[in-house]
Amino acid sequence: MKVGVIGAGQLGRMIALAGIPLDIQFCFLDPAPNSPAGQFCEHILSPFDDLDGLTHLVKSCDVVTYEFENVPVEAAEFLAQRVTLSPPPNALAVAQDRLSEKTLFVQQGMEVPPFRKVDTLEELESAVKDLGLPAVLKTRRMGYDGKGQAVLRSPEDVETAWEQLQGVPLILEGFVHFERELSLIGVRDADGNTVFYPLVQNTHREGILRLTLAPAPNVSSSLQESAEKLMKGLMDTLNYVGVLTVELFEVGGKLLANEMAPRVHNSGHWTIEGAETSQFENHLRAICGLPLGGTAVRGSIAMLNLIGEAPAHSDVMTFPETHLHLYGKSPRPGRKIGHITLLATDDRERAERVRRLERLIGV
Ligand code: AMP
């Protein structure tokens, strides 16, 4: 079995690392040389929308997937007409537009932050009137890690934010004073079987994920079940195959869906050592027609992202029950260059060990 992957970043690298023991071969397509996955796998150096590159991928692979959601939809459709592409292009199209995404969530019965479409300054002013301040103005497309958005706190911010973001389709969202951010990762195969990992708790700084606690502390089984039920509905509607992630805000015992990622996700990296089957292996199992693997968690797990530069390896390596992952990327401020997974027996021990590790590596 040979899997083609659009995008050869760290997610692709971890997909390959999960597939190699299963004797799955890989071919990545990415315009960047020396990419995290291309460093050790076959790599087509080509723009994502280049028909020659895509055709080469189709010819050499049994199935194709992707590791980032900004793959041009035309490229995905070109692939889907020629080879099995999972997740399907419709999921990609929905996830690329915050308005379609939120509209679909509402149709599925999911709660979402209040939102309005904004294409003109007049629409922005009337959306601000409807939703009140504070609010968050976001580009509908191509936003990631908090880029392409502005928080409006006072009426004076309205024009500044408009100046900053105008020119592309926008969405205004009511500001959610959430208690915490959670995410849910589910996997669906082509027969409609699904498995879910437990809800995890995510802490962001400057729009970038810093820490994931898995499972999230204090999640009732009814909250987990209702989140799974809604996500199953979403995956069935999209005829989804592969790993899907939904990012959520918890507020007053309710979950509001913020966005979805039709791919393996940073908040699931802990599954490599912390779950019976990793998200990466389960993604491959789903798209290759293999049985889905169990999602049981091995204790109380934390994942810390390494942003900008790596700590001294030896410091991390002498810390017990800790796993260091480096992505083969050169250090740069704000860049995700690796992560550390830390295993503990219970939430108290996890909290204490996370504090010690954070002190050790200086985050
Ligand atoms: P996003 O690109 O939508 O994932 O947003 C990046 C981060 O901004 C989220 O992880 C939240 O911490 C914050 N954020 C996004 N939307 C809202 C909102 N409507 N209310 C409050 N915070 C938000």
Side-chain angles (χ1 to χ4, degrees):
M1 182 67 108
K2 188 161 178 182
V3 173
V5 187
I6 311 284
Q10 65 263 23
L11 299 176
R13 179 176 172 111
M14 287 182 269
I15 289 173
L17 288 169
I20 289 165
L22 302 176
D23 200 21
I24 296 173
Q25 322 276 301
F26 290 91
C27 179
F28 287 84
L29 183 143
D30 195 304
N34 197 34
S35 58
Q39 287 166 16
F40 65 105
C41 290
E42 186 183 338
H43 182 188
I44 301 168
L45 262 178
S46 140
F48 298 122
D49 56 359
D50 178 77
L51 296 189
D52 288 342
L54 294 169
T55 303
H56 183 162
L57 196 69
V58 167
K59 289 207 171 120
S60 63
C61 296
D62 303 295
V63 295
V64 175
T65 188
Y66 45 89
E67 56 115 57
F68 74 112
E69 63 269 46
N70 288 325
V71 175
V73 171
E74 304 71 42
E77 275 158 3
F78 177 88
L79 289 167
Q81 283 156 15
R82 291 161 177 82
V83 67
T84 305
L85 176 74
S86 301
N90 59 331
L92 197 61
V94 169
Q96 284 180 359
D97 181 348
R98 291 184 191 274
L99 184 66
S100 336
E101 188 175 59
K102 289 214 160 55
T103 306
L104 177 64
F105 289 164
V106 172
Q107 284 163 2
Q108 292 298 132
M110 299 162 87
E111 299 207 50
V112 298
F115 65 95
R116 295 284 183 279
K117 170 175 97 66
V118 170
D119 287 327
T120 62
L121 182 57
E122 293 67 46
E123 277 182 343
L124 175 59
E125 282 162 351
S126 99
V128 168
K129 245 190 224 127
D130 281 0
L131 304 182
L133 294 178
V136 191
L137 186 64
K138 301 180 178 178
T139 58
R140 277 169 54 182
R141 300 177 159 276
M142 302 299 271
Y144 71 101
D145 283 351
K147 293 188 173 63
Q149 47 185 279
V151 179
L152 284 58
R153 296 188 188 278
S154 66
E156 299 79 69
D157 294 340
V158 173
E159 238 181 279
T160 323
W162 174 253
E163 291 301 320
Q164 187 191 329
L165 297 175
Q166 66 164 322
V168 290
L170 302 170
I171 185 171
L172 186 76
E173 294 176 14
F175 190 92
V176 180
H177 295 277
F178 52 77
E179 282 123 39
R180 56 179 175 168
E181 293 188 72
L182 301 173
S183 57
L184 181 65
I185 297 183
V187 198
R188 185 177 183 276
D189 70 16
D191 296 328
N193 301 305
T194 51
V195 292
F196 297 90
Y197 292 93
L199 283 160
V200 299
Q201 179 176 319
N202 301 317
T203 307
H204 296 85
R205 226 175 26 251
E206 288 148 4
I208 304 174
L209 180 66
R210 306 288 161 152
L211 174 69
T212 295
L213 300 180
N218 306 319
V219 169
S220 65
S221 49
S222 65
L223 196 71
Q224 176 78 30
E225 277 162 26
S226 72
E228 286 183 13
K229 191 165 164 245
L230 288 167
M231 190 161 173
K232 180 166 174 12
L234 180 65
M235 290 198 289
D236 288 344
T237 300
L238 292 167
N239 208 7
Y240 199 86
V241 177
V243 163
L244 177 72
T245 309
V246 177
E247 296 181 28
L248 304 149
F249 299 141
E250 186 178 20
V251 51
K254 285 193 310 194
L255 295 179
L256 307 188
N258 175 37
E259 61 179 356
M260 68 179 213
R263 54 168 171 80
V264 290
H265 195 258
N266 195 171
S267 69
H269 291 359
W270 63 273
T271 58
I272 296 174
E273 293 90 5
E276 188 182 337
T277 314
S278 79
Q279 63 162 348
F280 303 101
E281 181 173 330
N282 256 335
H283 182 68
L284 288 168
R285 288 182 183 219
I287 68 169
C288 295
L290 301 166
L292 299 182
T295 54
V297 184
R298 299 187 166 130
S300 181
I301 322 292
M303 189 282 313
L304 286 84
N305 265 344
L306 298 173
I307 312 289
E309 57 186 332
H313 295 195
S314 52
D315 284 351
V316 179
M317 285 170 174
T318 50
F319 205 83
E321 290 290 343
T322 297
H323 303 270
L324 175 64
H325 295 252
L326 296 171
Y327 305 150
K329 290 162 83 172
S330 45
R332 195 194 298 154
R335 196 174 204 203
K336 291 177 184 168
I337 57 158
H339 73 266
I340 300 170
T341 301
L342 178 158
L343 310 185
T345 48
D346 57 37
D347 289 5
R348 248 189 61 192
E349 187 195 32
R350 173 174 68 188
E352 190 261 321
R353 299 193 66 224
V354 167
R355 267 196 303 277
R356 270 176 44 216
L357 183 61
E358 284 181 334
R359 256 201 317 275
L360 182 75
I361 64 175
V363 294

